Amino acid sequence: GGSVSWSGYSGEVYPSASGTVPAGGSTTIYYESNAVHALTLTANANSGWAFSSWSTSGGVNYEGSIPPYTSTSNPVEIYLTSSGSITANWAIPVTFTESNLPWYTSWSVTFGGVTQRSDIGWWGGTTITFYVSETGTYYWSASDVSYWGTTYYPYPSSGYMNVPSQTSQIINYSTTPPGFTFTWTPSGLPSSYTWGVTVWSPSGSEVGSWSANGGQSISETFNTISSGDYSYMISAPSGWSVNPGSGAFNSAGSQTVSFTYSYTWSESGLP
């Protein structure tokens, strides 16, 4: 995570009035019980890390200045009433930055099960930062934003972030609902015939029905859904069979549908 530097007054701190504890290390210093000056500690984060907080035990106390020092102050001033310890805690900052939202809107991101909200204005508010102490893969999602009757949709709206390989994400907002395209391509059907596809939403309501000549694909855009699948059924001309005749999808993709004509022979005159 980083190193910690200390600074005190000669004659009150031993063996040295100042020094640095390297990342991952520890050291013991002696502080006069009747010292009149506080000991100053500064956390120095390594690249890709950020200082999170101090943890204390024993007789370590934060100096009661105005404003008083706390466990998240950096630098921090401390004094001792008895022996004790203080530890610097580190975290990896993960930052989300919004784009295209108007001032005075409020947006939020949920990362690793924790939700943070930010208000946008002249003071900023276009970034939301989380701090994680462990590397790993985290799921995140961004919410839609409603402002004066207008809905702004985030893109991407969710995903997985592998920390520390990725520690930032830009979220672009638009008044156009995000969507994806799915394409059906016919095979084996002459251009003189017409085929079609009908699509239903996860709730079972019909989204639309489209048709095209043989040799022509049908490509349509659908709204992104949080759960479930769109379902579809292919319609074939009379006398033709199709494979697959139905299916489901929930993301961008394509499907080739094969048409086969059914021939029937009837004999006549045989005994």
Side-chain angles (χ1 to χ4, degrees), residues 3 5 10 19 47 101 103-104 113 117 126 151 158 223-224 244 246 262:
S3 61
S5 301
S10 180
S47 177
L101 283 178
W103 278 17
Y104 309 117
R117 185 175 300 276
T126 59
T151 300
S158 63
N223 290 334
T224 301
S246 61
S262 301

Side-chain angles (χ1 to χ4, degrees), residues 17 107 250:
W107 65 295
N250 58 20

Side-chain angles (χ1 to χ4, degrees), residues 140-195:
W140 66 269
S141 62
S143 61
D144 296 348
V145 174
S146 295
Y147 183 70
W148 285 96
T150 300
T151 300
Y152 295 84
Y153 302 94
Y155 181 82
S157 60
S158 63
Y160 289 90
M161 187 175 293
N162 188 356
V163 180
S165 298
Q166 181 188 2
T167 56
S168 63
Q169 176 69 55
I170 296 175
I171 301 174
N172 296 294
Y173 281 85
S174 171
T175 55
T176 301
F180 62 89
T181 300
F182 199 92
T183 302
W184 294 266
T185 301
S187 174
L189 186 66
S191 60
S192 57
Y193 289 90
T194 300
W195 69 286

Side-chain angles (χ1 to χ4, degrees), residues 1-6 19-25 42-46 51 54 74 88 90:
S3 61
V4 174
S5 301
W6 79 86
T20 299
V21 183
T42 303
N44 312 297
N46 290 337
F51 168 75
W54 303 100
N74 187 34
W90 308 95

Side-chain angles (χ1 to χ4, degrees), residues 203-231:
S203 64
S205 60
E206 182 175 321
V207 176
S209 184
W210 304 270
S211 61
N213 293 330
Q216 294 180 333
S217 297
I218 295 175
S219 185
E220 296 296 332
T221 299
F222 302 90
N223 290 334
T224 301
I225 51 179
S226 58
S227 62
D229 297 319
Y230 288 99
S231 58

